[in-house]
Amino acid sequence: MSSIDLQALIPNNVHLGENRQLQRALEHWQPAFLNWWDEMGPSDFKAKEVYLRTAVGVDASGWASYGYTPMPDYRWGIFLADKEEGRKIGFGDHMGEEVWQDVPGEYRSTFRRLIVTQGDTEPASVEQQRLLGHTAPSLYDLRNLFQVNVEEGRHLWAMVYLLHAHFGRDGREEAEELLMRHSGDADKPRILGTFNEPMDNWLSFFMFTYFTDRDGKFQLKSFAESAFDPLARTTRFMLTEEAHHMFVGETGVGRVIKRTLEVMKELDTNDQATLRKAGVIDLPTIQKFMNFWFTSSLDLFGSEASSNAANYFSNGIKGRPDEAKFADHVELETEMSIIVPNGQGGLKNDTISTRNGMNEITRLEYVKDCNVGVTRWNMGIKRAGVDFELTLPSTRFRREVGAWAGNFTDPLGNPISAAEFEAKKDQWLPTPADTAFVKSLMNRVTEPGKMAAWIAPPDRGINANPLEYEYVKL
Ligand code: BYC
């Protein structure tokens, strides 16, 4: 197992102390990061002690320690999963060759672009969530928000380490730029669409951590297959932390639904106005928020047919999530079918090479994974005896990237006219009034163990602590 230097200015298991130049470069970037955290991170909670999990190693059995820390003192470190001796490239044209410990010159700009894109999403999400602390429904949720935030900060460190260690001066410049673009900024926005969406309520936060963090899971899984071993090792460890973020999303949405079902039962109604008046979020509104964040996250996988994606796969840059479970790891002459607009208001099947379809293959795996939680939420609804089912919309619905961008469909994926979409979109997507209503419920609850009225308590506390634990000392 790799040795861990926790005492260093930058905790790490990459022997940073043995590479003075790299250490100096990263120590130079560190104050810029802290400055960014100060200006763009969670607002107004700097001095507060938060019960946080900190990565202190990469051993599956004991990689984290828990304790009170003010967020600016969080030990953001560089942790790579242990090296797998003799690891070979598992897919594409270089299949079976030794993995690379450095970036081959011919793939340098591609790797740089992908690492920058991945890195860009991490601080972007912290910026999006910056103000949510003011309206947290409980101390438990407030702590989870901050846990997610500090870990996204660490994921930025993970990408910045690769940029500094393997991309020389260009990499250092990109690392600086990662702190200059900002979510929603008119002049210098974040790279990918979803990360510029405003997030001003906790229902959106839970949907984001369920759907958008799950894109993170699948992109990281693709990188975990990479022939560039430091990228594979970095992302493998990031996945360990990522699981908690999706847990926050799944249980968060589940608790919102649970509370709504309780009030539906109490009042014996499914009338939207009555439920809203009673201070809970009606199920059709939850469906609309789900439609929004799911479809936005679908765009993050890129175009259905992408020569970029084919090149990533052929060259060993980015594999499919869990590549080992596919039968053919080269896909040299294989083909697959995708559904695209037929140019006359309908749809048709197109045959493309499997390599060109890598984004779509990953997206479909993602959709399957999204459905697991939806099924669990529906079981709760069914158990409560309520006749309502949440459903993921079609991957053709409301797309802004790929074959369906600029084409309109209903949530089932049936092509419709722009006029029909315009006329019906308020039934399918959150309206300004829906968002205003959800926002109106967002009042801060700070008493340990207490919950806002629109959300049920979680089943258990954090790290075997009771729910009444003081997760943030305000
Ligand atoms: N918005 O050939 P295509 C996470 C661009 S989330 C705007 O299909 P490609 C996290 C694309 O860049 C995971 N632009 O693209 C979650 C390309 O631009 P250029 C983040 C978009 O390259 C929560 C052009 O459209 N990680 O970790 O096959 C909290 C042509 O498209 C979008 C990654 O994304 C979009 N949605 O695939 C915190 C992994 N989609 O080059 C963190 C790194 C596409 O023509 N990124 N474009 O200017 C990649 O692997 C790929 O860039 C993509 C797209 C999968 C995003």
Side-chain angles (χ1 to χ4, degrees):
M1 206 195 310
S2 54
S3 65
I4 287 152
D5 186 355
L6 281 175
Q7 304 317 315
L9 196 53
I10 303 168
N12 70 90
N13 70 347
V14 294
H15 307 293
L16 203 52
E18 293 166 21
N19 186 339
R20 300 290 302 162
Q21 203 188 349
L22 177 59
Q23 186 179 30
R24 265 200 306 275
L26 284 164
E27 285 178 2
H28 183 74
W29 187 80
Q30 192 175 36
F33 168 81
L34 290 171
N35 201 25
W36 165 82
W37 182 270
D38 188 49
E39 286 175 7
M40 303 302 293
S43 88
D44 297 325
F45 292 89
K46 292 180 186 86
K48 308 298 179 197
E49 301 261 349
V50 186
Y51 185 70
L52 290 175
R53 160 179 101 171
T54 304
V56 292
V58 294
D59 184 5
S61 60
W63 63 272
S65 78
Y66 285 80
Y68 283 109
T69 319
M71 282 182 282
D73 296 345
Y74 187 78
R75 302 287 284 143
W76 283 285
I78 299 164
F79 297 104
L80 271 62
D82 284 331
K83 200 168 180 171
E84 228 178 83
E85 286 312 324
R87 180 172 171 246
K88 300 281 191 293
I89 300 172
F91 61 94
D93 295 340
H94 299 289
M95 170 100 191
E97 296 171 19
E98 288 286 319
V99 291
W100 315 317
Q101 296 309 325
D102 216 334
V103 178
E106 65 268 41
Y107 305 142
R108 190 181 157 91
S109 67
T110 307
F111 270 117
R112 194 184 77 193
R113 195 173 75 90
L114 291 177
I115 291 168
V116 165
T117 306
Q118 176 65 47
D120 191 73
T121 63
E122 316 288 2
S125 68
V126 177
E127 293 170 353
Q128 283 173 298
Q129 296 159 17
R130 173 174 164 71
L131 297 174
L132 288 176
H134 295 286
T135 55
S138 70
L139 284 188
Y140 165 92
D141 290 290
L142 184 62
R143 176 269 170 199
N144 281 347
L145 167 73
F146 292 157
Q147 183 69 59
V148 169
N149 290 162
V150 293
E151 284 175 353
E152 299 303 4
R154 205 203 68 74
H155 292 180
L156 170 62
W157 271 96
M159 292 301 120
V160 164
Y161 164 71
L162 293 177
L163 289 170
H164 273 244
H166 297 277
F167 296 86
R169 192 194 169 123
D170 301 355
R172 290 194 293 278
E173 282 172 9
E174 293 283 14
E176 302 273 325
E177 289 288 316
L178 284 169
L179 302 173
M180 309 283 197
R181 287 183 292 271
H182 296 308
S183 178
D185 190 296
D187 298 323
K188 289 193 125 208
R190 291 297 177 179
I191 297 170
L192 298 173
T194 312
F195 296 90
N196 290 303
E197 296 289 354
M199 197 181 305
D200 51 12
N201 65 79
W202 279 74
L203 182 58
S204 290
F205 171 67
F206 292 137
M207 291 293 176
F208 180 94
T209 42
Y210 188 76
F211 289 111
T212 310
D213 278 89
R214 195 171 306 274
D215 167 51
K217 169 181 168 182
F218 281 78
Q219 297 298 336
L220 294 175
K221 271 176 169 284
S222 298
F223 284 144
E225 304 289 337
S226 181
F228 175 33
D229 203 40
L231 175 61
R233 291 171 55 204
T234 305
T235 47
R236 260 186 278 149
F237 185 63
M238 289 162 76
L239 281 162
T240 316
E241 289 163 315
E242 200 65 45
H244 171 69
H245 307 187
M246 288 173 290
F247 163 87
V248 168
E250 182 176 341
T251 53
V253 175
R255 289 161 53 211
V256 177
I257 295 170
K258 187 172 174 198
R259 181 66 193 132
T260 300
L261 293 168
E262 283 167 6
V263 174
M264 285 173 80
K265 193 166 176 199
E266 260 165 53
L267 303 180
D268 191 22
T269 184
N270 60 6
D271 177 61
Q272 182 182 69
T274 312
L275 290 168
R276 285 188 173 193
K277 216 164 144 219
V280 292
I281 308 175
D282 49 288
L283 299 177
T285 301
I286 294 172
Q287 173 74 58
K288 287 186 187 182
F289 275 72
M290 193 167 111
N291 289 350
F292 178 86
W293 289 103
F294 172 66
T295 52
S296 181
S297 304
L298 289 174
D299 279 341
L300 295 172
F301 291 84
S303 307
E304 284 72 7
S306 162
S307 58
N308 281 346
N311 289 331
Y312 307 151
F313 184 82
S314 320
N315 298 333
I317 292 168
K318 201 180 158 190
R320 285 167 291 193
D322 303 308
E323 183 59 46
K325 79 175 191 205
F326 292 86
D328 179 347
H329 303 300
V330 184
E331 305 286 10
L332 193 55
E333 280 167 357
T334 52
E335 291 182 327
M336 61 184 272
S337 173
I338 54 171
I339 300 172
V340 295
N342 67 4
Q344 286 143 17
L347 38 80
K348 63 171 186 180
N349 273 305
D350 243 8
T351 301
I352 59 170
S353 73
T354 307
R355 286 186 172 193
N356 272 329
M358 288 297 161
N359 287 342
E360 185 63 3
I361 293 172
T362 307
R363 182 171 16 245
L364 294 177
E365 292 293 317
Y366 164 81
V367 174
K368 267 195 243 163
D369 206 47
C370 286
N371 258 317
V372 174
V374 177
T375 304
R376 264 199 281 267
W377 297 333
N378 279 329
M379 269 157 38
I381 298 175
K382 205 166 169 202
R383 261 200 310 273
V386 169
D387 183 21
F388 187 92
E389 195 174 310
L390 292 163
T391 46
L392 294 179
S394 160
T395 55
R396 304 191 283 276
F397 178 64
R398 203 185 82 89
R399 291 292 303 282
E400 289 173 8
V401 170
W404 288 91
N407 289 272
F408 297 93
T409 78
D410 65 15
L412 294 174
N414 303 307
I416 55 174
S417 66
E420 191 178 351
F421 183 87
E422 194 49 39
K424 295 199 175 146
K425 75 173 194 311
D426 287 356
Q427 297 168 30
W428 299 330
L429 296 163
T431 62
D434 292 327
T435 306
F437 164 69
V438 171
K439 272 178 77 175
S440 76
L441 299 180
M442 301 292 123
N443 292 318
R444 186 174 178 195
V445 175
T446 56
E447 199 182 320
K450 290 276 176 300
M451 294 288 135
W454 55 271
I455 188 165
D459 289 342
R460 60 188 71 84
I462 292 149
N463 194 31
N465 288 301
L467 190 53
E468 294 72 29
Y469 196 73
E470 194 176 8
Y471 288 107
V472 184
K473 293 186 179 170
L474 291 174

